[in-house]
Amino acid sequence: MKYLVPVLAGRLVRAVARLRGGGSAYPGRTVLALAPDFLTHVSSQFDQGVVFVLGSNGKSTTTMMLTETLRAHGLRVFTNPTGANLPQGIASAFLREVTPFGRVKHDIGVIEVDEAFAVELTRSLHPSTVLMLNVQVDQLYRFFETERVGTMMTDTAALATAAVVTNRDDQHLAPYEARPGQVVTRFGAAPDVVAAAPNGLQNANDFTREADGTRRAESEVVSLTGDRARIRVGDEEVDVRLPARGLHYAVDAAAALQTASVVLGRPVDPASVAEAFETMKPAYGRGERMSLGTDEAEFIMFKNAASLQLNLDALPQDVEQVMLAIDEGTPDISWIYDIDFSHLDHVDVLAGAKAWQLALRLEHEGIPVHVIEEDIAKAIKLMRALPSPGDRTKHFVTNYEQMMLARRILGHPDLEKTA
Amino acid sequence: MSADTLRLVHLYPEQLGVSGDRGNVSTLVARAGRAGLETEVVEYRVGDDVPTVADVVLLGHGPLSGVRAVSADAQRLLPALEGFAASGVPVVGVGGGMELLTKGVVTDEGETVPGIGFFDALVRRGAPRRTNYFQVTTSYGGDELTLFGFEDHAAHLELGDGVQAFGHVVHGGGNGTAGAEGVLRGASFGTQLKGPLLPLNPALSDRVLRAALTRRSISYHPGAAHAKLDEYAAQSQRVIRENLERAFKAM
Ligand SMILES: [Zn+2]
């Protein structure tokens, strides 16, 4: 009975927030205020434990891949929606699934967690497995020191009760060593696959360490063509269709499959994996397509240098029509001077308040910009008015805030829950 | 390499290069190039031969781990940088690069990461973290000039007796005392202005170029080929000016 009032109160808050079109953190905040141990109560019911997914980039995509892979192997998986990775957001997500008495029917929780809150969340969610994806120079203004981000992740991993899965190719994360009772395994990408990517993996340098090429990855991307990847998991090879093009998605898939094998206690089944990936929809703004007149708009979202570089590198060769959009949602964009834009031979439209800074950057590179239009609505009209391209696709590369505006303009409501 | 080539030395591009600092180099290359001058960029890394010639020396921003990683090696560079400064070569350090050029960085824990002492100044970490747009005026190389960029640090900069600041804070934190920002030494300066500094502020770039080139009697005249660079920079500055009060959440 202890949880009846908090759960009902949280749901009431949610119903009210929905009516007012408000944010989804409030229900979670309400339930946590009334029942501070709510997260522990729910998560302790998962027989197969809780998996944390941590990383500078790729948390949402990997969480989806891992969730769908486990479901394809018959598990009932609880997960939090993309971006709801702070304590209140996770509580809100639980609130949707529990009975009024605070019971859940799931076997396992796969939970995307913000690095800055990860250690704190171990105290309530007690993860059995922690997956660490990467440390990339992420929103510098937010964390100041990349090694601080790395330390947040490894400190969290140290609290996993059973297993840690880490990135063999990341200087900060690869050296992680098992604490008592833990098993550590690694994922990665084969050197020739990385070498074929124009700008590599984009993981941050660790200036305190020398690279160590001797570590083995239990799961590894062995080939990549467009959105098709082959991943070696243990001794088996698994073919998957990625939700969008790009080396980073292939590495995310290797991370998900390695973690799934660890959780299942046996190698994943290739046929089940292939099926799970085949039907996977791209996460919000990661190669998501929507119609734009007789053509399609493809949305690719970036949040920092690494994700912009990886996404640019994954655009088709000689991309015909492309808009870049960035606004005040991304505060310090100094890093655009470290981006290799040479994949683009022009940009059709630059949008958002920071369009001028991008124009300045591209002008240094001699890449022509056809139109600069700060207003995203007008910019989309300009893109729409362009003649139909050969690939029938108008590419939109945007930061999160511009994507949200663009989605709304194109008639796609806000599905993502941010907390 | 022709006799008129502008020689840029970029120190520690990896460790001191997390804020798009290559952009400061790119801008000097682009502006000199559009004025018809050839450029040569030498990237200096730990263990390389100490550069003997330079018209401009540039250091970008890095985290404390980056400054620490190059601190020992950088001690070897001091005589060369002193020589450059004596002959009027601008040495430009931004963020961590400026910190390396001071006497050192005193951390929260009281440890000192040694700088090389090119600037008579000391960095004290542990100041409240700032992340904001930054507006500064400077009289570096001429009349007062307004500069725009981004400020992101958690340090105070203490200048030695009689040492001049690079500029005056209009909006932002700066050194933490008396509205001062950065440090000036002849044609050389250090600042926390990122964004990066030089692409966003073409007039300052031109002053750096003039300082570098007049000592070699090479004339530099920006012209029509610079129009787009200047227009885009002006528009970028306008957007920053309109957003000066915007607050960013940092950790
Ligand atoms: Zn085009």
Side-chain angles (χ1 to χ4, degrees):
Chain A
M1 286 299 281
K2 184 181 165 194
Y3 298 95
L4 183 60
V5 170
V7 167
L8 294 181
R11 288 194 172 160
L12 183 66
V13 169
R14 189 177 62 200
V16 172
R18 277 233 174 112
L19 284 173
R20 302 166 65 187
S24 63
Y26 298 111
R29 202 169 290 155
T30 305
V31 76
L32 287 177
L34 296 171
D37 67 342
F38 178 69
L39 291 177
T40 306
H41 172 73
V42 177
S43 61
S44 63
Q45 297 169 45
F46 300 133
D47 285 346
Q48 310 262 357
V50 168
V51 181
F52 272 15
V53 179
L54 307 177
S56 298
N57 279 318
K59 284 191 286 283
S60 299
T61 298
T62 308
T63 298
M64 174 180 69
M65 290 171 169
L66 176 55
T67 299
E68 292 307 321
T69 299
L70 293 175
R71 282 178 181 155
H73 287 79
L75 262 60
R76 294 170 299 179
V77 184
F78 167 84
T79 189
N80 51 339
T82 297
N85 55 19
L86 307 183
Q88 310 90 304
I90 294 167
S92 290
F94 276 150
L95 203 51
R96 269 192 291 279
E97 300 287 337
V98 295
T99 69
F101 298 98
R103 307 296 307 169
V104 280
K105 302 173 288 295
H106 305 86
D107 303 309
I108 186 168
V110 174
I111 299 179
E112 166 193 337
V113 175
D114 186 276
E115 299 75 66
F117 293 86
V119 167
E120 176 191 331
L121 278 165
T122 59
R123 287 182 213 118
S124 47
L125 294 171
H126 306 289
S128 44
T129 300
V130 170
L131 164 58
M132 297 188 283
L133 288 172
N134 46 48
V135 177
Q136 296 174 339
V137 178
D138 177 72
Q139 300 149 303
L140 209 55
Y141 74 94
R142 194 171 165 223
F143 290 117
F144 207 37
E145 295 268 354
T146 45
E147 72 229 58
R148 237 181 104 194
V149 186
T151 307
M152 287 173 188
M153 293 188 209
T154 50
D155 285 353
T156 309
L159 299 167
T161 55
V164 171
V165 179
T166 188
N167 186 339
R168 190 261 324 262
D169 305 324
D170 185 295
Q171 285 186 44
H172 288 90
L173 302 180
Y176 181 86
E177 283 182 30
R179 303 298 190 270
Q182 286 185 345
V183 176
V184 175
T185 55
R186 295 181 174 81
F187 62 90
D192 58 322
V193 175
V194 178
N199 295 285
L201 287 167
Q202 295 290 312
N203 295 325
N205 286 317
D206 181 342
F207 301 123
T208 64
R209 292 193 176 101
E210 295 294 316
D212 176 351
T214 62
R215 288 189 194 91
R216 186 186 131 75
E218 282 75 8
S219 290
E220 190 176 56
V221 181
V222 291
S223 75
L224 174 66
T225 315
D227 63 359
R228 298 278 162 177
R230 175 164 294 176
I231 294 161
R232 179 182 58 74
V233 183
D235 303 322
E236 287 257 34
E237 293 202 338
V238 182
D239 289 307
V240 294
R241 185 193 64 87
L242 301 170
R245 296 175 308 271
L247 174 60
H248 47 318
Y249 294 117
V251 174
D252 292 344
L257 296 184
Q258 178 55 30
T259 309
S261 303
V262 166
V263 166
L264 294 166
R266 60 186 154 88
V268 288
D269 169 51
S272 307
V273 169
E275 207 184 301
F277 274 73
E278 202 59 48
T279 54
M280 218 175 271
K281 290 260 190 318
Y284 213 61
R286 284 94 172 167
E288 193 185 18
R289 298 174 82 88
M290 43 194 92
S291 71
L292 184 71
T294 55
D295 302 312
E296 283 195 319
E298 184 191 65
F299 275 88
I300 295 172
M301 178 181 77
F302 62 88
K303 57 176 185 172
N304 51 32
S307 63
L308 177 57
Q309 186 70 69
L310 291 161
N311 284 319
L312 285 176
D313 292 348
L315 281 175
Q317 215 36 255
D318 304 317
V319 58
E320 243 179 278
Q321 290 183 6
V322 61
M323 180 175 103
L324 302 183
I326 183 163
D327 64 11
E328 296 300 323
T330 311
D332 175 14
I333 60 165
S334 301
W335 47 262
I336 56 177
Y337 285 84
D338 286 329
I339 298 287
D340 171 12
F341 286 95
S342 62
H343 195 81
L344 302 174
D345 63 3
H346 76 290
V347 173
D348 292 280
V349 181
L350 279 180
K354 285 196 162 85
W356 299 104
Q357 289 199 42
L358 264 184
L360 179 59
R361 165 70 183 116
L362 295 172
E363 177 61 22
H364 278 82
E365 215 63 13
I367 298 171
V369 173
H370 298 168
V371 188
I372 301 166
E373 172 53 65
E374 282 183 54
D375 181 337
I376 181 84
K378 291 182 187 157
I380 288 174
K381 271 195 195 126
L382 291 167
M383 284 297 284
R384 194 193 284 268
L386 291 177
S388 192
D391 62 353
R392 292 260 167 203
T393 305
K394 301 187 174 187
H395 300 267
F396 292 77
V397 181
T398 73
N399 68 343
Y400 177 81
E401 289 74 12
Q402 289 284 288
M403 185 192 67
M404 299 303 284
L405 292 170
R407 284 183 62 99
R408 224 163 292 148
I409 291 161
L410 293 174
H412 288 255
D414 177 3
L415 301 172
E416 187 157 353
K417 302 289 187 293
T418 47
Chain B
M1 184 173 97
S2 87
D4 278 5
T5 299
L6 173 74
R7 297 154 308 183
L8 305 178
V9 174
H10 184 190
L11 301 180
Y12 308 116
E14 284 82 23
Q15 292 88 345
L16 302 177
V18 300
S19 295
D21 308 277
R22 220 174 274 278
N24 291 324
V25 180
S26 309
T27 287
L28 296 185
V29 171
R31 296 188 76 79
R34 290 175 193 211
L37 299 169
E38 277 181 46
T39 49
E40 178 202 68
V41 179
V42 172
E43 295 192 338
Y44 171 88
R45 294 180 168 77
V46 171
D48 285 356
D49 291 338
V50 174
T52 52
V53 289
D55 296 313
V56 184
V57 179
L58 294 134
L59 298 89
H61 173 59
L64 192 58
S65 57
V67 177
R68 193 181 271 123
V70 300
S71 160
D73 182 81
Q75 306 301 326
R76 307 189 295 134
L77 295 175
L78 182 62
L81 296 185
E82 289 288 352
F84 292 148
S87 67
V89 170
V91 177
V92 177
V94 175
M98 168 183 71
E99 296 182 351
L100 181 72
L101 296 176
T102 67
K103 292 190 284 189
V105 183
V106 182
T107 69
D108 284 1
E109 293 80 29
E111 171 212 5
T112 300
V113 177
I116 66 171
F118 176 81
F119 291 128
D120 179 10
L122 185 71
V123 180
R124 285 194 194 279
R125 287 288 179 104
R129 173 84 188 281
R130 300 203 66 99
T131 50
N132 48 262
Y133 287 125
F134 202 13
Q135 183 181 352
V136 169
T137 55
T138 183
S139 302
Y140 172 86
D143 299 342
E144 187 175 276
L145 198 62
T146 298
L147 308 174
F148 290 92
F150 201 85
E151 180 176 26
D152 181 0
H153 62 96
H156 283 159
L157 183 69
E158 298 174 3
L159 303 182
D161 284 344
V163 175
Q164 258 188 288
F166 166 64
H168 182 82
V169 177
V170 180
H171 180 95
N175 295 353
T177 37
E181 163 51 22
V183 54
L184 183 72
R185 175 184 171 182
S188 300
F189 63 91
T191 179
Q192 289 288 0
L193 254 170
K194 294 153 195 164
L197 170 69
L198 296 181
L200 283 175
N201 296 287
L204 179 66
S205 303
D206 286 348
R207 289 183 184 186
V208 171
L209 283 172
R210 287 213 180 84
L213 292 166
T214 23
R215 44 173 285 283
R216 291 185 53 206
S217 309
I218 300 170
S219 60
Y220 165 75
H221 300 288
H226 296 71
K228 274 193 172 169
L229 290 172
D230 293 349
E231 184 209 337
Y232 295 161
Q235 294 278 16
S236 301
Q237 289 194 359
R238 171 186 58 79
V239 175
I240 292 174
R241 201 184 313 119
E242 289 167 3
N243 285 281
L244 278 174
E245 300 303 327
R246 194 175 275 272
F248 301 110
K249 191 175 125 224
M251 299 207 160

